[in-house]
Amino acid sequence: MLLRDEVAPRLRALGWKGSGLRFRLPDAGAWVQLGFRSSRHGAGGPVRFTFHVSVVGRAAWEEYRAAHPGARPGRARRSPTALRSGRCGSAT
């Protein structure tokens, strides 16, 4: 509920698009993505989550896609030459 009720509306207010666990920031020069992962141990227990931020330059992406037909931006984190990314640790 925290992501849906608190985080998502604030991201949208800042111009991000998306829902659930995946968001993107429209940018003419790059694919900018933000993804969340969460887990809960037991009913009513704390929810742990991490988030992953990736920025892929559109020119680098087109070069990568030419070499890997069918690749999609959501899978781009597998291409270290075309990507700057980071994962932010665990939060409760």
Side-chain angles (χ1 to χ4, degrees):
M1 305 300 173
L2 175 69
L3 290 174
R4 183 189 71 205
D5 298 337
E6 300 290 333
V7 176
R10 292 176 184 179
L11 287 172
R12 288 189 198 100
L14 294 170
W16 290 81
K17 308 289 183 194
S19 62
L21 301 175
R22 295 185 65 190
F23 293 86
R24 64 182 171 78
L25 184 63
D27 185 279
W31 293 100
V32 182
Q33 299 177 81
L34 175 62
F36 293 90
R37 289 184 182 236
S38 64
S39 65
R40 174 175 283 174
H41 298 286
V47 175
R48 299 179 65 88
F49 66 93
T50 63
F51 59 95
H52 186 272
V53 179
S54 64
V55 179
V56 181
R58 290 189 185 261
W61 173 250
E62 291 303 324
E63 183 179 316
Y64 177 80
R65 193 170 71 163
H68 300 87
R72 299 181 314 179
R75 309 280 188 241
R77 64 182 163 272
R78 296 184 183 141
S79 170
T81 60
L83 174 68
R84 298 291 179 256
S85 69
R87 180 175 177 175
C88 297
S90 178
T92 303

